[in-house]
């Protein structure tokens, strides 16, 4: 009788109960880390160093004052940053050599980018003029781009 | 006059010192390109064509973005700028003010809605409200520009509409336009002037006050009036002063056009030290005209004075667009190359180029001429690097001039070395023609010069290669060239080869050459016979006999 009762109340047979499924935990950080592989994948310095090196061996990709004590607007700045990064990534298709750096100086937004020399210079200038004007109108503040070009991506390591 | 009381040399040195102390513009960096470009070697323009291309493509990118902003205004409406920035909001194309008022009329005029503006004007008149003269003038301008139809159509403006709306209204703008048109309507000089005087009298009757543009229109019309012009233009200027209207640079430009060469001193005393504001579209031509007159009269001091005028206040804005600027600086540099000592020329060269303008091939030729005059031909390799960077290395006359200057005289060994390196660089340009690049064609002069330069620097091996090029391009080297080779050659085998080459070109001096070779060099029997055999191929019979005699006698 007891055995039967226990079987009847088991979770898997009873359709009206819910439970929590738990697996063994994987106590590892996986954020912004490219794992060691075969040795044929080229990485830039930015990609090769892990996030805990920020402030020690890496700089910041986005510079603004809203993370200081008593300042507002950190979330808004972050959302703007994400939009600007995606916008530039799409506009300068396949030309970015590295992550862009966004600096806010006063009212101005300065986008510093490293580009590859995949397009002729007049096309670069067209896209730069287009980006600056469109982002200025979107964010209602002056947006300037500072572009440097490279022949190839600067490889730091192969993993 | 003050100028005649001082010895001229003192004055020139004084002016030169004063001008050396000043910079072109206080904010200009002579080592960088224009600030609108990105600071990167790949993205910096090197020629004037690239300058124009990059600046225009940047501008067209901006226009494309504005178009997208204006066609999708709903994404750009969120206004979080404190205070409000109107120029960053999307432009509205439809008029917003709906009621019948003058503000609505002005808005429609600004949006270039011709039919709507005309309807609004009629409604205003019917409602009895008087429309101000400014608004009426704007409406008239709109109709003159677009005719009876809205823009986006290509019809010419209808004159009847202008007449219909302008009865009884007279305005200084209309008179200005009529004065400008007066020169087209009449043929003879005095008839033109009479028409202008009549128009001015009408203006007076209608109590319309002339403004700066009226006088500028009169002066511009006077340029087409020939001999009448000089006296009348001075009268016009004095009337301007009597009315208290300060002449703008355009007035001076027209007067310079009338007085041509003699007008320069007069103008410079008037304009010296004054800061001008753009008031007339013709203002931008003043500087290039003034510099042209300085160039034609070979007047260096006036040129410096004109250039110093650029430093005063906001005058740099009046230099015009990049085309006008290039004309101005081109003429200035031309004058400097002609008249100034080479050190001063090179100082100006470093300041002006390439940050302010890109000289054309003629300008580079003037610079080479100046180097030649002052015996500074050792600077040529550096100038060649600049020529390459500016993209003038495909201009054959410039390159040949450069080569002939290098090949002409003898210089010290280091200079000859640098010349030889430069000549090899030039040679690579000619050779590249095979790789489907627009390149230079070999000429006899260029080949001879390159060979001479290489020989002078003891680069005999490359000089031999040049002789082979002579062969492949079917050109004949001169006898002096072969003689020079003979002077440099140390080896008997090479001497024999030289004679063979000379024979293959059928040069008349080959027998003498052969004789000299036989005398000056130690030759083995085989070389002598081998040489003789080759020689017999193309030499005429009498020479053949002579040579055989020579060969067998040694």
């Amino acid at each position: 009788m007891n055995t039967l009762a226990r079987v009847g109340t088991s979770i898997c047979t009873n359709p009206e109960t819910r439970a929590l499924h738990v697996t063994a935990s994987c106590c590892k950080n996986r954020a912004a880390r490219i794992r060691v592989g075969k040795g044929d994948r080229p990485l830039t310095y930015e990609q090769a160093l892990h996030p805990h090196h920020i402030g020690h061996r890496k700089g910041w990709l986005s510079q603004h004052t809203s993370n200081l004590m008593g300042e507002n607007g950190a979330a808004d700045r972050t959302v703007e940053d994400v939009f600007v990064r995606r916008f530039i990534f799409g506009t300068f298709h396949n030309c970015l050599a590295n992550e862009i750096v966004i600096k806010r100086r006063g009212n101005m937004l300065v986008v510093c980018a490293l580009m590859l020399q995949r397009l002729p210079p007049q096309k670069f200038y067209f896209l730069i003029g287009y980006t600056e004007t469109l982002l200025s109108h979107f964010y209602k503040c002056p947006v300037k781009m500072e572009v440097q070009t490279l022949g190839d991506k600067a490889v730091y390591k192969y993993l | 006059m003050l100028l005649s009381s001082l010895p001229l040399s003192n004055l020139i040195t004084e002016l030169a010192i004063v001008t050396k102390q000043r910079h072109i513009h206080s904010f200009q960096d002579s080592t960088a390109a224009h600030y609108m470009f990105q600071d990167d070697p790949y993205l910096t323009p090197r020629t004037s064509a690239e300058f124009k291309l990059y600046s225009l493509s940047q501008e067209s990118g901006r226009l494309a973005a504005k178009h997208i902003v204006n066609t999708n205004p709903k994404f750009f409406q969120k206004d979080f700028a404190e205070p409000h920035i109107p120029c960053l909001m999307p432009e509205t194309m439809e008029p917003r003010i709906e009621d019948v008022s003058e503000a609505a009329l002005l808005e429609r005029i600004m949006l270039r809605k011709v039919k709507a503006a005309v309807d609004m004007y009629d409604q205003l008149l019917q409602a009895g409200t008087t429309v101000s003269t400014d608004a009426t003038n704007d409406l008239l301008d709109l109709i003159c520009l677009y005719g009876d139809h809205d823009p986006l159509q290509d019809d010419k403006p209808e004159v009847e509409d202008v007449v219909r709306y302008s009865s009884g209204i007279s305005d200084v703008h209309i008179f200005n336009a009529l004065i400008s048109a007066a020169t087209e309507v009449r043929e003879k000089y005095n008839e033109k002037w009479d028409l202008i005087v009549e128009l001015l009298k009408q203006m007076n009757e209608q109590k319309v006050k002339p403004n700066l543009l009226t006088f500028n229109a009169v002066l511009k019309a006077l340029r087409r009036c020939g001999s009448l012009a000089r006296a009348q233009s001075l009268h016009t200027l004095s009337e301007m002063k009597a009315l208290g209207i300060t002449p703008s640079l355009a007035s001076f430009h027209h007067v310079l056009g009338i007085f041509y060469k003699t007008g320069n001193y007069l103008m410079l005393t008037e304009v010296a030290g004054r800061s001008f504001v753009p008031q007339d579209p013709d203002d931008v031509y003043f500087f290039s005209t003034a510099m042209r007159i300085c160039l034609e009269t070979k007047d260096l001091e006036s040129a410096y004075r004109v250039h110093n005028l650029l430093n005063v206040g906001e005058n740099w804005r009046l230099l015009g667009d990049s085309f006008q600027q290039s004309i101005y600086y081109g003429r200035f540099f031309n004058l400097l190359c002609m008249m100034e000592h080479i050190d001063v020329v090179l100082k100006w060269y470093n300041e002006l180029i390439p940050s302010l303008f890109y000289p054309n091939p003629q300008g580079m030729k003037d610079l080479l001429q100046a180097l030649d005059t002052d015996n500074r031909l050792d600077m040529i390799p550096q100038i060649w690097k600049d020529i390459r960077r500016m993209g003038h290395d495909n201009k054959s006359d410039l390159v040949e001039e450069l080569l002939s200057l290098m090949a002409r005289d003898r210089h010290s060994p280091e200079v000859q070395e640098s010349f030889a390196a430069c000549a090899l660089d030039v040679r690579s340009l000619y050779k590249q023609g095979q790789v489907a690049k627009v390149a230079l064609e070999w000429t006899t002069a260029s080949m001879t010069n390159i060979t001479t330069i290489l020989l002078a620097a003891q680069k005999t091996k490359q000089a031999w290669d040049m002789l082979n090029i002579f062969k492949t391009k079917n050109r004949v080297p001169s006898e002096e060239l072969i003689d020079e080779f003979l002077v440099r050659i140390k080896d008997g085998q090479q001497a024999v080869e030289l004679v063979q080459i000379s024979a293959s070109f059928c040069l008349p001096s080959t027998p003498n050459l052969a004789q000299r070779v036989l005398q000056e060099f130690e030759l083995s029997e085989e070389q002598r016979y081998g040489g003789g055999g080759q020689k017999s191929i193309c030499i005429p019979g009498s020479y053949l006999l002579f040579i055989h005699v020579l060969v067998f006698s040694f």
Side-chain angles (χ1 to χ4, degrees):
Chain A
M1 199 58 186
N2 269 347
T3 337
L4 271 173
R6 225 176 272 147
V7 165
T9 57
S10 126
I11 296 169
C12 37
T13 50
N14 198 335
E16 285 156 24
T17 56
R18 286 188 203 177
L20 191 62
H21 288 253
V22 183
T23 55
S25 60
C26 168
C27 297
K28 270 184 178 198
N29 274 334
R30 299 211 59 100
R33 285 168 170 79
I34 298 180
R35 304 277 160 176
V36 172
K38 278 218 178 68
D40 55 354
R41 181 176 179 175
L43 292 186
T44 61
Y45 187 82
E46 202 56 58
Q47 292 165 321
L49 289 162
H50 296 164
H52 61 267
H53 288 127
I54 292 177
H56 303 272
R57 301 180 201 174
K58 268 169 98 158
W60 280 266
L61 290 178
S62 167
Q63 293 171 7
H64 54 82
T65 55
S66 3
N67 283 327
L68 297 174
M69 173 148 156
E71 299 290 333
N72 304 321
D76 298 325
R77 304 290 92 77
T78 315
V79 171
E80 285 166 14
D81 275 2
V82 171
F83 178 83
V84 169
R85 278 175 212 284
R86 285 186 180 221
F87 184 86
I88 305 259
F89 181 75
T91 312
F92 292 89
H93 176 69
N94 217 15
C95 286
L96 283 178
N98 210 336
E99 296 285 336
I100 61 173
V101 173
I102 301 179
K103 302 182 187 178
R104 284 177 177 75
R105 290 179 197 149
N107 190 24
M108 247 176 34
L109 208 124
V110 181
V111 175
C112 310
L114 271 178
M115 305 266 177
L116 300 172
Q117 291 166 0
R118 292 241 171 100
L119 295 173
Q122 60 267 22
K123 293 197 181 173
F124 268 120
Y125 277 111
F126 179 87
L127 291 175
I128 289 171
Y130 166 79
T131 317
E132 285 184 355
T133 317
L134 201 82
L135 288 178
S136 305
H137 280 257
F138 195 62
Y139 285 124
K140 309 289 185 250
C141 65
V143 175
K144 293 265 176 277
M145 285 198 71
E146 290 176 9
V147 173
Q148 289 190 352
T149 54
L150 298 173
D152 301 299
K153 279 194 184 177
V155 177
Y156 176 69
K157 215 168 167 173
Y158 287 90
L159 279 188
Chain B
M1 282 202 57
L2 185 63
L3 287 161
S4 57
S5 62
L6 288 172
L8 200 58
S9 53
N10 276 5
L11 193 60
I12 291 178
T13 42
E14 201 171 292
L15 274 172
I17 291 167
V18 165
T19 49
K20 271 181 202 169
Q21 284 164 353
R22 284 204 216 183
H23 271 291
I24 302 165
H25 308 299
S26 49
F27 45 82
Q28 174 74 30
D29 179 9
S30 62
T31 58
H34 198 276
Y35 67 85
M36 71 170 122
F37 299 116
Q38 298 287 332
D39 191 13
D40 182 69
Y42 184 69
L43 296 175
T44 308
R46 280 179 229 134
T47 70
S48 58
E50 281 182 12
F51 185 98
K52 219 185 212 176
L53 181 65
Y54 298 169
S55 50
L56 287 177
S57 34
Q58 191 165 25
E59 193 56 40
S60 65
R62 290 198 195 115
L63 290 176
K66 281 217 76 96
H67 173 78
I68 292 191
V69 167
N70 291 335
T71 43
N72 303 301
K74 58 185 187 297
F75 298 122
F76 299 92
Q77 298 288 4
K78 193 169 174 194
D79 183 18
F80 34 63
E82 190 62 44
H84 175 67
I85 305 175
C87 68
L88 289 179
M89 300 297 288
E91 285 168 20
T92 48
M93 288 290 124
E94 297 304 317
R96 287 232 188 114
I97 310 176
E98 291 303 325
D99 52 331
V100 179
S101 71
E102 193 168 313
L105 175 65
L106 288 172
E107 196 190 9
R108 277 155 183 76
I109 292 174
M110 210 174 55
L111 291 173
R112 307 285 186 264
K113 304 269 182 216
V114 180
K115 279 210 159 46
V118 170
D119 291 337
M120 180 60 65
Y121 185 74
D122 287 334
Q123 283 177 357
L124 277 171
L125 283 184
Q126 279 169 5
T129 47
T130 49
V131 188
S132 70
T133 40
D134 282 339
T136 328
N137 290 336
D138 289 337
L139 182 65
L140 278 174
D141 285 339
L142 190 71
I143 298 175
C144 288
L145 207 53
Y146 293 111
D148 213 8
H149 317 277
D150 283 324
L152 299 176
Q153 293 175 10
D154 291 314
D155 301 287
K156 295 200 206 57
E158 306 278 353
V159 179
E160 294 88 47
D161 282 337
V162 181
V163 171
R164 197 179 353 137
Y165 282 101
S166 71
S167 57
I169 302 172
S170 43
D171 169 80
V172 69
H173 301 294
I174 298 180
F175 275 110
N176 291 347
L178 287 171
I179 292 173
S180 313
T183 48
E184 313 288 333
V185 181
R186 296 278 183 275
E187 288 292 322
K188 284 192 176 171
Y189 295 152
N190 47 0
E191 284 175 17
K192 289 183 193 180
W193 180 242
D194 290 337
L195 180 58
I196 294 176
V197 170
E198 203 183 299
L199 282 168
L200 288 170
K201 279 194 196 135
Q202 271 194 17
M203 252 180 116
N204 208 5
E205 280 166 30
Q206 303 211 3
K207 302 278 183 289
V208 179
K209 289 193 69 73
N211 67 0
L212 173 68
L213 294 174
T214 321
F215 284 108
N216 282 349
V218 172
L219 285 169
K220 190 169 184 178
L222 273 176
R223 283 178 84 158
R224 312 277 297 273
C225 283
S227 48
L228 282 179
R230 296 191 174 203
Q232 301 297 347
S233 57
L234 288 176
H235 286 319
T236 318
L237 274 179
S238 40
E239 268 215 44
M240 275 173 96
K241 292 218 183 98
L243 275 174
I245 302 179
T246 42
S248 78
L249 279 182
S251 340
F252 292 120
H253 166 245
H254 296 315
V255 173
L256 274 178
I258 294 171
F259 277 89
Y260 198 52
K261 293 186 184 183
T262 51
N264 237 2
Y265 281 139
L266 167 68
M267 288 309 108
L268 286 171
T269 43
E270 286 274 344
V271 306
R274 281 168 54 184
S275 174
F276 289 93
V277 180
Q279 284 164 306
D280 184 319
D282 287 336
D283 281 343
V284 295
Y285 299 113
F286 169 75
F287 280 106
S288 40
T289 317
M291 195 50 77
R292 176 174 58 92
I293 296 183
C294 291
L295 180 60
E296 285 168 6
T297 53
K298 310 259 191 297
D299 188 355
L300 194 58
E301 314 149 26
S302 303
Y304 278 129
R305 283 166 81 180
V306 171
H307 195 67
N308 285 337
L309 187 60
L310 270 182
N311 285 343
V312 176
E314 299 278 298
N315 288 352
W316 58 271
R317 292 181 198 273
L318 289 162
L319 205 44
D321 64 351
S322 62
F323 181 60
Q324 286 293 325
Q325 277 192 22
S326 63
I327 296 179
Y328 170 79
Y329 282 117
R331 287 174 180 159
F332 186 43
F333 192 62
N334 193 356
L335 185 63
L336 285 171
C337 285
M338 268 200 283
M339 308 285 291
E340 271 280 17
H341 186 259
I342 188 67
D343 291 332
V344 180
V345 171
L346 286 172
K347 185 208 85 146
W348 278 106
Y349 179 75
N350 288 327
E351 274 196 35
L352 294 179
I353 292 148
S355 54
L356 283 172
F357 89 111
Y358 302 93
N360 56 6
Q362 185 55 44
M364 295 315 289
K365 271 197 218 167
D366 292 335
L367 179 64
L368 288 175
Q369 204 65 33
L371 286 176
D372 191 19
T373 317
D374 276 325
N375 235 352
R376 288 296 304 275
L377 291 175
D378 52 309
M379 298 282 302
I380 288 187
Q382 280 179 311
I383 305 291
W384 169 246
K385 284 206 194 90
D386 289 342
I387 292 178
R388 278 211 82 163
R389 194 190 55 200
M390 282 191 268
H392 291 319
D393 51 357
N394 52 0
K395 312 284 188 300
S396 57
D397 48 349
L398 180 61
V399 176
E400 295 202 8
E401 168 106 14
L402 190 96
L403 286 174
S404 63
L405 280 177
M406 281 200 288
R408 207 180 53 193
D409 304 316
R410 284 273 164 274
H411 298 272
S412 69
E414 307 88 34
V415 176
Q416 293 291 158
E417 272 298 313
S418 61
F419 280 5
C422 186
L424 285 173
D425 197 28
V426 176
R427 186 178 76 168
S428 65
L429 270 184
Y430 280 100
K431 273 191 179 167
Q432 261 172 3
Q434 295 145 17
V435 198
K437 187 181 155 184
V438 174
L440 305 162
E441 288 296 317
W442 281 113
T443 62
T444 321
S446 54
M447 287 196 267
T448 318
N449 286 333
I450 294 184
T451 323
T452 319
I453 299 168
L454 289 171
L455 280 176
Q458 320 287 343
K459 297 216 183 315
T460 335
K461 171 86 183 35
Q462 281 100 339
W464 273 113
D465 298 335
M466 287 300 302
L467 276 184
N468 291 335
I469 297 178
F470 268 104
K471 263 225 161 80
T472 49
K473 297 285 172 188
N474 290 328
R475 312 257 186 201
V476 180
S478 66
E479 298 170 0
E480 293 89 18
L481 197 59
I482 303 285
D483 283 339
E484 273 206 44
F485 262 106
L486 195 60
V487 171
R488 307 272 168 202
I489 285 176
K490 308 286 180 288
D491 178 34
Q493 178 61 29
Q494 282 189 342
V496 173
E497 281 176 26
L498 185 67
V499 177
Q500 287 171 349
I501 289 177
S502 168
S504 68
F505 282 122
C506 299
L507 289 176
S509 63
T510 314
N512 294 335
L513 194 66
Q515 197 173 20
R516 281 175 65 189
V517 166
L518 285 168
Q519 282 173 345
E520 290 170 21
F521 288 89
E522 298 286 324
L523 293 177
S524 66
E525 289 297 319
E526 173 195 315
Q527 283 170 332
R528 281 187 214 169
Y529 284 121
Q534 285 284 345
K535 275 178 224 121
S536 60
I537 291 170
C538 80
I539 295 179
S542 53
Y543 284 138
L544 193 63
L545 200 59
F546 177 60
I547 286 159
H548 272 291
V549 164
L550 276 178
V551 165
F552 283 107
S553 65
F554 281 89

